[in-house]
Amino acid sequence: MSATQLSRRTFVTVAAGAGAAFVLGFRCFDPQAQPGSKARAPKATLRANVWISIDSDGLVTLTVPKPDMGQGSRTVLAMILAEELGVDWHKINIVQAPADGTNYGGQGVGGSATVRVMWKPLMKAGATAAAMVCQAAAKEWNVGADAVNLEDGMVSSKSAGKSAPIGEFAAAASTIPVPDSSTLTPKGKGNY
């Protein structure tokens, strides 16, 4: 199976089996909108170019296609994701995506556009990942997802009287259907 035929669900299943407990891909850049890119026929499946993963130890990794050339964009991206997931931004591992313009779009930097382009999609993706972790915990604890909170790297529910590190629900979160991001309200101060 080639990478271009890999569906989002198949990728998550394969990645979970390979060691990553929870992986969520999302699109920040439209490869067809990038200067100098070759136009392609649109595909029915998501071609994610940014990845959020949470492993069973609670390590959150954000894979981004744009390098940081000293503007501090990776610090800002880590802070945005940390706010949505309720984790310490210092503990988010940022990984550079491989040099692959076909799958990751234009990977150059200029005009300080990385944060301007990525903050809304990243906030939505972070809220989506948080919702999936909360749903996994709610299912295990037999409470509503709205009774589950993420804060300081912990998943907790006062009504269930339980608390656990975020990594404990990473594998279960990977089996939750991805919710429609339009139904979610990100925690981020920059509401959109």
Side-chain angles (χ1 to χ4, degrees):
M1 178 180 291
S2 74
T4 58
Q5 297 171 336
L6 200 61
S7 73
R8 168 176 51 172
R9 183 154 314 276
T10 302
F11 176 82
V12 170
T13 303
V14 170
F22 176 71
V23 179
L24 180 67
F26 65 101
R27 177 182 291 283
C28 274
F29 307 99
D30 182 357
Q32 294 179 10
Q34 297 295 321
S37 68
K38 295 177 183 173
R40 294 189 307 253
K43 296 206 177 225
T45 58
L46 169 72
R47 291 183 62 96
N49 53 24
V50 181
W51 302 95
I52 296 171
S53 66
I54 305 170
D55 71 15
S56 59
D57 292 331
L59 176 66
V60 177
T61 301
L62 176 62
T63 303
V64 296
K66 300 284 189 181
D68 187 328
M69 301 299 288
Q71 319 89 316
S73 59
R74 290 187 174 199
T75 300
V76 175
L77 297 177
M79 289 176 159
I80 291 168
L81 182 57
E83 184 170 19
E84 296 303 324
L85 289 177
V87 298
D88 181 350
W89 71 269
H90 291 96
K91 295 180 180 176
I92 293 182
N93 183 31
I94 306 271
V95 176
Q96 177 65 43
D100 179 353
T102 301
N103 290 311
Y104 294 98
Q107 293 178 282
V109 293
S112 300
T114 300
V115 174
R116 275 196 323 261
V117 172
M118 290 186 69
W119 76 271
K120 282 184 185 181
L122 180 57
M123 191 182 295
K124 286 181 185 180
T128 301
M132 294 169 73
V133 169
C134 288
Q135 288 176 26
K139 185 175 179 180
E140 184 173 318
W141 294 338
N142 293 317
V143 296
D146 57 339
V148 178
N149 296 310
L150 292 171
E151 190 173 350
D152 297 327
M154 300 294 287
V155 183
S156 62
S157 172
K158 288 183 183 179
S159 61
K162 296 187 178 188
S163 180
I166 192 171
E168 283 194 24
F169 296 101
S174 71
T175 66
I176 301 289
V178 178
D180 179 357
S181 65
S182 67
T183 65
L184 303 173
T185 304
K187 295 177 188 175
K189 305 294 186 244
N191 255 340
Y192 51 93

